[in-house]
Amino acid sequence: MRPTALNPLFASAQALSGIGPRLLALLKKAVKLPPGVAEPRVLDVLWHLPTGVIDRRAEPDVATAVPGTIATLKVRVLKHRPPPRGNTRAPYKVSCEDDSGRLDLVFFHAERSFVERQLPVGETRYVSGRIERYNDMMQMTHPDYIVGPENRGDLPSLEPVYPLTAGLSGKILIKATRQALERLPDIPEWQPPAWLAARNWPPFVMAVSSVHRPQDVGDVSPGGAPWQRLAYDELLANQLALAFVRENYKAQRGRPVSGDGRLRSRIAQALPFKLTPSQHAAIAEIADDMAAPRRMLRLLQGDVGSGKTVVALMAMAVAVEAGSQAALMAPTEVLARQHAETIAPLAEKAGLRIGLLTGREKGKPRTELLSRLASGEIDILIGTHALFQSDVAFRDLAFAVIDEQHRFGVHQRLALQTKGGDGGANVLVMTATPIPRTLLMTHYGDLDVSKLTEKPAGRKPIKTTMASTDRLVDVIERIRANVAEGAQIYWVCPLIESSEKSELAAAEERHAHLTQIFGEGVVGLLHGGMAATAKDKTMQAFAENTSKILVATTVIEVGVNVPNATIMVIEHAERFGLAQLHQLRGRVGRSDRQSFCLLLHAPQLGETAEKRLTMMCETDDGFKIAEKDLELRGGGEVLGARQSGDAEFRIADVPGFETLLEAARDDAKMILATDPRLASARGQALKVLLYIFEQDGAVQLFRAA
Ligand code: ADP
Ligand code: MG
């Protein structure tokens, strides 16, 4: 159980005064929440770190204040000069002075009573804001702060600047973080004093408060001591949790699973193609690993279109041959359904019984499905996060495949593993994105890897070209010709930074435009906000070739498989990361026909953007592209901007990330070797660390050991 001292941090952010349901909803938009957390908590407010500071420390007198700078001045209020009656455009001015000169405070559209209350004539006030000179007069327009001498403390000398959202002001966040900081309990130190001293790192509580209430500009910099310390804490929690997971894996009796190959050969016969050599190799590696008397944790890496699904199916068949069950989990519902549809006909021919469980299966059908699962009438269960639900019980789960894994957290991996029967489940993780080494380490620690190195035979490389949006009319003409010849087209609309709404608007607009040209029913629209059934209908119409063009936001990024689609148009391609473009492009080129990808870009293209798009036109090798992407964007950013939007790290995306990570890994190793039960004083403190960074899954494991 979480130490009760931490409870105030895990309460809803509504516990903070000033935060009601309305602001809570806004907070939810502004802060990053860990997967599975629906509502911002006090802790999430603390992890919402500033992006900079406004420095209000300059306290000049009026005569020496520098126009254009932010300053805090102490002045006496002399006189109010409201605008002439009927002239709403003229400002309301308040004349003030100190011993050195005069300063006007200027308010546009001011509410008179407000200004009068704030600035009574004859009183002294501290005002803080940008100094301006106007017609030889020093002035300050709409001061950020006006406080009396008794409230001087309310005026921050270094004011943190937070990422905001419409309706959520910096002042609200400052007030909220101040209260959240007060809720930080006295926490035992988990870092060795010598380690902290060598780096000049402050204690944990002080680090959190320095970042939110900086005394120095360096306090809010990701490279500064307080932030670095917190980053290290987060990485240590991550590495420690992984180390425990791994240890637990090794400690537990593995479960050898092997079959006689009878289902696999039936599937192979049902396949309309021959497996590639690397598919064969991967299947053999997985089967060997499953047969070994230890638990398996293996990664299957393969570029988009390399045919991972069949490999997964063959591996799942091994578990079924052995008389057990298997599960396949996908990150989205669309993908889960797609997998089910691909696998169903093959499974049927091989005599495998499959089930599908997503958030959408409810009520009686769900209950029935679960009872068939529990009795073993289902061999393979395919689904989404829904597989984690506590009432989902297998008769005997021996093998779990997790697709596009980096969208799931450590907890969830643990949860699925524990659904395995005696000896736990063997786990295979599949990913299409070549994952950089550091990322592998933060997600899995050490694990075995199988790679699909070639694409299925007969595939022609996708021809990729780029064109400016100036040429949209020509592009549409070409598309028209292609549609007439039976082609199907994906049309992906621009990703607009941090604004889902406008991304949607762009897709809707393009959909309307293309419908006007191609006619009703020919053009489908797919976006993340659609109801599940509407999504299915749209996908189905496209898969069945009833609709010819599918306009989509980036929801089609992962996994969708419509082999007849041979053209991919990506609007504003310059706004996508290379790896993401490659993923999108991988939606075509899935048959033996020639496929095309058109990268539409803004007429004015910067030099780097031009280089990146040119590179996309020149190569179709996902691993090369991923490396280039990493080189162009830097590892930290790739981590931070992980396309799922729910980055695993909230703090640790800082300069020096890799060094910190390696140190954390070594530290975790050392801790596990010297204090495997976390029994020492440091060990006890480390448990608190794990709870604070929500790696309790690891603590549970450790307790069970
Ligand atoms: P991904 O690795 O991107 O998940 P899929 O498993 O979705 O790739 O496979 C992409 C397409 O290639 C599917 O239509 C699948 O049936 C087909 N495919 C898989 N393996 C082969 C193969 N050896 N030969 C020909 N086609 C294959
Ligand atoms: Mg796939």
Side-chain angles (χ1 to χ4, degrees), residues 308-309 335 339 403-404 559 590:
K308 293 183 290 295
T309 315
L335 252 185
H339 276 312
D403 190 12
E404 308 290 352
R590 295 183 161 241

Side-chain angles (χ1 to χ4, degrees), residues 273-276 279 304-309 456 459 561 590:
F273 47 75
K274 273 212 171 81
L275 294 174
T276 64
Q279 281 173 323
V304 267
S306 58
K308 293 183 290 295
T309 315
R459 294 281 166 77
N561 190 25
R590 295 183 161 241

Side-chain angles (χ1 to χ4, degrees), residues 214-230:
Q215 300 300 308
D216 185 280
V217 179
D219 287 349
V220 282
S221 148
W227 198 317
Q228 289 274 311
R229 181 208 153 123
L230 297 176

Side-chain angles (χ1 to χ4, degrees), residues 320-490:
V320 183
E321 285 168 13
S324 305
Q325 291 166 298
L328 168 60
M329 188 174 65
T332 65
E333 185 170 326
V334 170
L335 252 185
R337 290 185 184 278
Q338 178 108 32
H339 276 312
E341 277 158 29
T342 315
I343 287 175
L346 296 168
E348 197 178 324
K349 284 188 193 143
L352 286 162
R353 298 158 297 177
I354 69 168
L356 177 67
L357 181 66
T358 70
R360 215 193 313 168
E361 275 67 42
K362 292 202 180 82
K364 199 157 166 234
R366 182 174 184 278
T367 321
E368 278 172 14
L369 180 78
L370 291 186
S371 91
R372 286 195 293 136
L373 186 69
S375 67
E377 287 163 67
I378 287 176
D379 299 313
I380 294 178
L381 184 64
I382 299 170
T384 55
H385 288 76
L387 301 192
F388 294 131
Q389 289 157 348
S390 55
D391 60 343
V392 177
F394 291 78
R395 185 182 62 79
D396 176 26
L397 177 68
F399 182 60
V401 183
I402 306 181
D403 190 12
E404 308 290 352
Q405 156 81 21
H406 54 249
R407 299 191 178 212
F408 301 107
V410 172
H411 300 132
Q412 294 171 315
R413 287 200 289 280
L414 283 173
L416 193 62
Q417 190 205 109
T418 53
K419 288 206 185 284
D422 195 19
N426 293 292
V427 173
L428 178 72
V429 172
M430 301 201 291
T431 170
T433 349
I435 307 180
R437 210 185 74 83
T438 47
L439 203 60
L440 270 182
M441 217 162 89
T442 56
H443 277 77
Y444 313 104
D446 300 322
L447 82 178
D448 304 311
V449 179
S450 293
K451 270 189 188 172
L452 298 183
T453 48
E454 76 266 273
K455 295 243 170 117
R459 294 281 166 77
K460 298 190 179 70
I462 301 161
K463 283 196 180 140
T464 303
T465 48
M466 50 198 274
S468 156
T469 42
D470 287 350
R471 293 179 40 211
L472 192 63
V473 177
D474 300 342
V475 169
I476 289 175
E477 268 325 298
R478 259 161 57 198
I479 299 256
R480 193 202 294 280
N482 281 292
V483 169
E485 285 169 16
Q488 280 187 284
I489 290 131
Y490 288 109

